[in-house]
């Protein structure tokens, strides 16, 4: 095991291979508050990549309802049960306060004979995606009605491969059949070399590697790399109805740039957080946590930065930079590596210059209920 | 009353008979390949009775991660016959379960024969060879055997109740069996499109590979080995036929090693029961 630095944990940790960061790292921000679980992302991925024989059950992208939804069944709970002592503390590092993970990662907790602490789903665990999971946490008593405060809660969690900086799938493969591309950090299974041992399926804590029983190899999300190579965002991003997603490139915290959309949201404003950072993989899909969910839950899921993130997000209406950048989500198929706000407009740019301009506030037209010209009342009825 | 006196004698005769049967199987401390005019490709061919048997104790693969931490199959019984061009091994081991249906968290019964590429008194490391000292491995797997025996290449063979709306390569615009249709199907089976020999459907249940240490297993330049495995009442009986190792002739000794994977015990890849090197001798023409 080598010693590597995981900035999400605020410390060094053990990993099977030495630290080797790509030239640039593919990353994404998902706004959970905007997801409506319409599954358009799931279908966009499914029809693009996994319509073959043996791929029927594969959902490289899925959306599940938390707290009771999983794909595969119990993917997070099982590992959380196995991983002991997930404590965080606040420490000082070079004059700044950082969150330090005091617990053990899945690499550091690997049992004898294993490279990673993991578990392997059975085929039944993949059998019922989204069935019976749209129930809210807590009892709703008879006579209750909706009010502004949520009496009970649930939220939608859209998931793809996290293209981790320290992938557990990659470290677990005894054949080195999984690799992380140096040019963009995308993690791929070499389909010519894989022999289907399913070690990666067991090791990935997010369960985003799937075994194909017909080809005998394991397959996973490829971040639509042919699109990325053409400067475009992946299918699940551009087909998102709720415009919850933005793809881009993330820097390490010490090299964070305010004009990089992902850096701004993750490192500078800290409103987008990794999924289960305590597992130790430095995952690269970042989530704006749901604002209405008890933070005792979201803190376990997204780490100790949840309170700060929710507070900043709630204030976005008074924060033109943040509100402006959030309005770039889902506004173009192109990757947006740079951005700036110019007054009431937000500008997205790439190496070639400006690629789009979005108003901070959409123009609002109010049509009065009574039409004075025609002297008639309008109604919503057809 | 008379039968009561006869019983001890009958029992003695029965035990003596059993011992006689057992003594018909010649047990050897090494694997001895017996010359024959032809190679018996079926595990139940009577020609196997002419070959002595070596009972190889199986050890845990517990040297490299991922390791097998709990022992399963205790021993593999091996016989060998050679035609002068090919050598056939018959491997038999106890296994109560038949594991030949692939799927998530499903693992296959399998076995393998390993031989150094070069006959040398200083043999390579027994665990998959070592750099500069490659080994050849012939690997048999139960699901490939089922496929060769006629199981269709369809998801319904694994999940009989599977319901599939549509595969893109079954679009009406594509003529069934046409080049266009096969190309479309390959697009959704990347391992097959890349020519990964493991990705099936297979024409032989045995795969030829070379290795120079753990994690280096690669397909051999040519795939010539064949074989046949049969599930018996209490285990597997598998014949693996490969070309004769270079330089292997009567009186010459090389090394061989065996591995067995018990699918119901989640054994796959490095998680296996294996032997160390065992001397392999070709008996002279009798």
């Amino acid at each position: 095991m080598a010693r590597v630095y995981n900035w999400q944990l605020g410390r060094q940790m053990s990993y099977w291979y030495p630290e080797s960061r790509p030239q640039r790292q593919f990353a994404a921000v998902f706004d959970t508050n905007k997801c409506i679980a319409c599954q358009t992302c799931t279908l966009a991925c499914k029809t693009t990549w996994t319509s073959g024989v043996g791929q029927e059950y594969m959902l490289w992208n899925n959306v599940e309802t938390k707290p009771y939804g999983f794909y595969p069944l119990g993917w997070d709970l099982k590992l959380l049960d196995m991983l002991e002592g997930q404590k965080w503390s606040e420490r000082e590092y070079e004059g700044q306060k950082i969150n330090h993970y005091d617990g053990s990662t899945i690499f550091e907790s690997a049992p004898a004979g294993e490279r990673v602490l993991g578990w392997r789903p059975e085929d039944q665990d993949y059998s019922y995606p989204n069935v019976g999971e749209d129930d809210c946490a807590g009892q709703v008593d008879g006579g209750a009605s909706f009010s502004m405060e949520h009496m009970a809660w649930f939220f939608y969690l859209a998931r793809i491969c996290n293209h981790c900086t320290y992938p557990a799938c990659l470290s677990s493969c005894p054949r080195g059949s999984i690799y992380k591309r140096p040019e963009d950090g995308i993690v791929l299974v070499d389909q010519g070399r894989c022999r289907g041992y399913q070690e990666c399926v067991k090791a990935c804590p997010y369960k985003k590697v799937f075994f194909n029983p017909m080809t005998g190899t394991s397959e996973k999300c490829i971040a639509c790399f042919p699109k990325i190579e053409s400067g475009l965002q992946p299918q699940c991003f551009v087909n998102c109805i709720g415009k919850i997603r933005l793809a881009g490139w993330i820097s390490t915290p010490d090299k964070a740039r305010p004009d990089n959309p992902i850096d701004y949201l993750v490192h500078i404003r800290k409103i987008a957080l990794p999924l289960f950072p305590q597992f130790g993989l430095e995952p690269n899909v970042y989530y704006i946590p749901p604002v209405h969910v008890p933070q005792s839950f979201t803190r376990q899921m997204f780490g100790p930065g949840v309170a700060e993130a929710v507070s900043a997000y709630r204030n976005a209406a008074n924060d033109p930079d943040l509100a402006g950048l959030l309005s770039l989500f889902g506004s173009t198929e192109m990757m947006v590596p740079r951005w700036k706000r110019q007054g009431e407009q937000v500008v997205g740019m790439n190496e070639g210059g400006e690629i789009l301009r979005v108003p901070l506030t959409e123009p609002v037209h109010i049509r009065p209920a009574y039409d004075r010209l025609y002297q008639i009342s309008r109604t919503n009825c057809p | 009353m008379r039968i009561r006196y006869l019983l001890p004698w009958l029992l003695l005769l029965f035990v003596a008979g059993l011992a006689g049967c057992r003594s018909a199987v010649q047990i050897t401390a090494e694997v001895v390949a017996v010359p024959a005019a032809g190679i018996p490709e079926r595990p139940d061919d009577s020609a196997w009775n002419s070959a002595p048997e070596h009972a190889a104790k199986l050890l845990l693969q517990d040297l490299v991660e991922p390791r097998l931490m709990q022992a399963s199959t205790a021993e593999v019984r091996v016989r060998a016959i050679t035609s002068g061009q090919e050598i056939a091994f018959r491997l038999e081991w106890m296994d109560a379960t038949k594991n030949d249906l692939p799927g998530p968290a499903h693992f296959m019964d399998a076995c393998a024969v390993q031989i150094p590429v070069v006959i040398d008194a200083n043999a390579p490391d027994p665990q998959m060879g070592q750099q500069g000292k490659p080994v050849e491995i012939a690997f048999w797997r139960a699901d490939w055997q089922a496929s060769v025996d006629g199981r269709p290449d369809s998801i319904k063979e694994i999940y009989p109740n599977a319901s599939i709306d549509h595969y893109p390569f079954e679009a009406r615009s594509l003529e069934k069996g046409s080049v266009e249709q096969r190309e479309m199907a390959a697009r959704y089976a990347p391992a097959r499109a890349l020519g990964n020999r493991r990705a099936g459907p297979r024409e032989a249940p045995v795969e030829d590979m070379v290795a120079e240490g753990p994690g280096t297993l690669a397909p051999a330049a040519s795939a010539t080995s064949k074989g046949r495995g049969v599930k018996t009442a209490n285990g597997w009986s598998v014949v693996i036929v490969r070309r004769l190792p270079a330089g292997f002739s009567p009186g010459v000794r090389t090394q061989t090693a065996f591995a067995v994977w018990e699918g119901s015990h989640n054994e796959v890849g490095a998680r296996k029961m294996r032997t160390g090197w065992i001397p392999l001798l070709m008996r002279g023409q009798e």
Side-chain angles (χ1 to χ4, degrees):
Chain A
M1 286 260 193
R3 296 294 290 170
V4 298
Y5 187 74
N6 182 329
W7 65 261
Q8 294 175 356
L9 305 184
R11 68 168 174 88
Q12 286 200 315
M13 63 165 201
S14 297
Y15 186 65
W16 194 258
Y17 296 107
E19 185 167 344
S20 172
R21 289 178 184 268
Q23 290 144 29
R24 58 180 183 172
Q25 174 63 57
F26 167 78
V29 172
F30 289 8
D31 185 349
T32 60
N33 297 289
K34 295 201 288 189
C35 181
I36 57 170
C38 65
Q39 306 285 359
T40 311
C41 48
T42 309
L43 266 292
C45 176
K46 190 77 193 155
T47 52
T48 307
W49 297 116
T50 57
S51 298
V53 182
Q55 297 179 319
E56 296 83 355
Y57 81 104
M58 287 186 201
L59 298 176
W60 291 356
N61 178 106
N62 79 296
V63 185
E64 55 200 45
T65 308
K66 287 297 177 194
Y68 299 136
F70 315 90
Y71 194 72
L73 191 67
W75 66 269
D76 46 357
L77 300 187
K78 286 188 184 173
L79 191 61
L80 288 167
D81 263 353
M82 294 163 73
L83 191 65
E84 289 175 4
Q86 301 158 43
K87 298 284 182 200
W88 294 82
S89 62
E90 213 171 63
R91 294 200 184 174
E92 195 124 322
Y93 180 73
E94 293 183 354
Q96 286 195 321
K97 278 190 176 167
I98 58 160
N99 291 309
H100 181 275
Y101 181 52
D102 303 330
S104 188
T105 68
I106 61 169
F107 305 110
E108 292 160 342
S109 306
E114 306 285 336
R115 295 183 179 190
V116 177
L117 175 71
W119 66 281
R120 195 182 277 117
E122 304 280 328
D123 39 12
Q124 300 95 309
D125 294 330
Y126 297 103
S127 296
Y128 309 101
N130 299 122
V131 174
E133 66 183 44
D134 277 347
D135 297 311
C136 56
Q139 182 72 35
V140 180
D141 295 328
S145 60
F146 281 117
S147 61
M148 289 306 288
E149 293 289 322
H150 285 232
M151 294 170 292
W153 58 272
F154 62 80
F155 71 100
Y156 302 122
L157 186 69
R159 302 200 299 119
I160 61 172
C161 166
N162 287 289
H163 296 279
C164 305
T165 304
Y166 302 113
C169 60
L170 185 154
S171 72
S172 70
C173 180
R175 294 181 48 69
S177 300
I178 301 181
Y179 61 105
K180 189 168 174 66
R181 305 208 310 180
E183 64 268 38
D184 51 23
I186 291 172
V187 178
L188 298 176
V189 179
D190 181 342
Q191 292 297 314
R193 186 166 171 76
C194 175
R195 291 183 62 81
Y197 298 158
Q198 303 185 46
E199 297 291 344
C200 51
V201 180
K202 184 178 180 186
C204 173
Y206 306 104
K207 297 296 168 245
K208 280 296 174 188
V209 194
F210 300 87
F211 178 69
N212 182 327
M214 300 310 288
T215 62
T217 57
S218 295
E219 300 175 6
K220 65 179 286 299
C221 160
I222 59 172
C224 292
F225 70 81
K227 292 192 76 182
I228 299 267
E229 288 169 2
S230 306
L232 301 174
Q233 299 191 58
Q235 291 290 73
C236 57
F237 289 68
V238 300
N239 284 281
C240 176
I241 304 299
K243 300 186 174 187
I244 80 155
R245 305 183 182 208
L246 186 73
W249 310 101
I250 192 166
S251 315
T252 47
D254 54 315
K255 295 192 176 77
R257 291 176 56 137
D259 62 347
N260 172 334
I262 306 290
D263 280 359
Y264 186 79
L265 295 170
V266 173
H267 292 313
I268 293 167
R269 301 308 304 275
K270 300 186 193 316
I271 72 158
L273 306 167
L275 182 62
F276 293 115
Q278 65 268 41
F279 293 161
L281 287 73
E282 211 184 284
N284 287 303
V285 175
Y286 295 84
Y287 290 86
I288 299 175
V291 296
H292 62 282
V293 172
Q295 290 181 8
S296 56
F297 186 90
T298 46
R299 187 181 148 89
Q300 184 185 36
M301 184 169 269
F302 302 112
V306 164
E308 197 184 341
V310 168
S311 172
Y313 186 79
R314 280 190 184 279
N315 191 44
N318 309 314
D319 187 334
D321 282 340
L322 190 53
L325 179 50
L326 292 173
S327 65
L328 275 185
F329 281 50
S331 295
T332 173
E333 186 171 18
M334 299 176 80
M335 293 280 276
V336 188
R338 296 281 177 266
W339 76 289
K340 63 182 175 187
R341 183 173 66 84
Q342 281 184 336
E344 287 298 303
Q345 290 187 321
V346 184
V347 183
M349 299 165 290
N350 64 12
E351 297 77 10
E354 181 176 324
I355 51 175
L356 85 158
R357 192 171 278 262
V358 179
L360 204 58
T361 309
E362 293 282 353
V364 176
H365 300 279
I366 297 175
R367 204 164 63 153
Y370 183 74
D371 188 325
R372 290 182 187 281
L373 181 63
Y374 294 106
Q375 298 182 358
I376 190 169
S377 290
R378 296 190 182 100
T379 69
N380 288 330
C381 300
Chain B
M1 287 296 284
R2 198 177 290 171
I3 193 80
R4 277 178 61 187
Y5 293 108
L6 277 174
L7 261 180
W9 290 104
L10 284 171
L11 191 63
L12 190 65
L13 280 170
F14 177 67
V15 171
L18 277 183
C21 287
R22 189 67 193 157
S23 67
V25 180
Q26 190 190 347
I27 306 294
T28 47
E30 52 194 0
V31 178
V32 179
V34 177
I39 289 287
E41 293 187 11
R42 293 186 61 88
D44 58 356
D45 194 309
S46 60
W48 289 107
N49 296 336
S50 67
E53 185 169 278
H54 174 80
K57 296 282 173 228
L58 288 164
L59 314 165
L60 287 160
Q61 189 301 104
D62 58 357
L63 296 178
V64 294
E65 281 93 0
R67 306 177 196 197
L68 186 66
M69 303 303 283
Q70 281 188 323
S72 57
T73 314
E75 71 168 19
V76 57
R77 302 182 310 280
V78 183
R79 298 183 188 209
I81 288 178
T82 177
S83 64
Q85 286 81 44
E86 292 178 313
I87 182 165
F89 295 89
R90 190 184 75 179
L91 280 62
E92 292 185 308
W93 68 96
M94 305 283 276
D95 183 354
T97 54
K98 184 179 187 180
N99 301 98
D100 67 349
L101 273 177
H106 292 209
F107 298 97
M108 305 300 102
D109 292 331
C111 66
V113 176
Q114 175 183 282
I115 294 175
V117 171
V118 177
I119 296 175
D120 185 354
N122 189 13
D125 288 347
Q127 293 240 90
M128 315 285 286
Q130 65 192 85
Q131 202 173 6
K133 287 189 163 190
V135 292
E136 292 172 340
I137 293 166
F139 177 69
W140 172 92
R141 220 170 73 171
D143 60 327
W144 296 342
Q145 185 66 57
S147 176
V148 170
D149 289 346
R151 188 165 74 198
D153 181 38
S154 161
I155 195 78
K156 292 225 171 206
E157 296 297 320
I158 305 173
Y159 300 104
N161 298 323
S163 169
I164 297 105
D165 296 333
H166 172 71
Y167 293 119
F169 53 85
E170 289 179 347
R172 281 186 192 165
S173 56
L174 292 164
E175 192 187 330
K176 203 170 182 184
S178 64
V179 175
E180 291 78 15
Q181 198 226 8
R182 290 204 302 273
E183 280 178 358
M184 175 69 111
R187 235 170 271 160
Y188 290 96
R192 289 183 185 183
L194 276 170
N196 186 334
R197 283 193 211 159
R198 165 156 286 214
R202 296 191 61 84
E203 289 166 357
V206 180
E207 187 183 21
D208 283 298
M209 288 173 299
V210 290
E212 290 186 81
T216 66
L217 195 64
S222 62
T224 56
S225 295
K226 52 201 170 181
R228 182 174 171 78
V230 174
K231 184 75 177 70
T232 59
N234 53 10
W236 281 100
S237 185
V238 177
V239 172
I240 292 177
V241 185
R242 53 153 290 164
R243 62 171 175 71
L244 207 62
F248 190 54
S249 55
V252 171
R253 262 192 183 77
T254 183
Q255 305 286 334
T256 185
F258 306 96
V260 169
W261 288 261
E262 165 56 279
S264 67
H265 198 233
N266 292 343
E267 289 171 19
V268 64
R271 299 180 201 269
K272 66 191 174 198
M273 296 298 292
R274 50 97 195 178
T275 70
W277 285 127
I278 300 162
L280 172 64
L281 171 73
M282 192 193 296
R283 187 180 285 171
Q285 199 74 43
E286 289 169 4

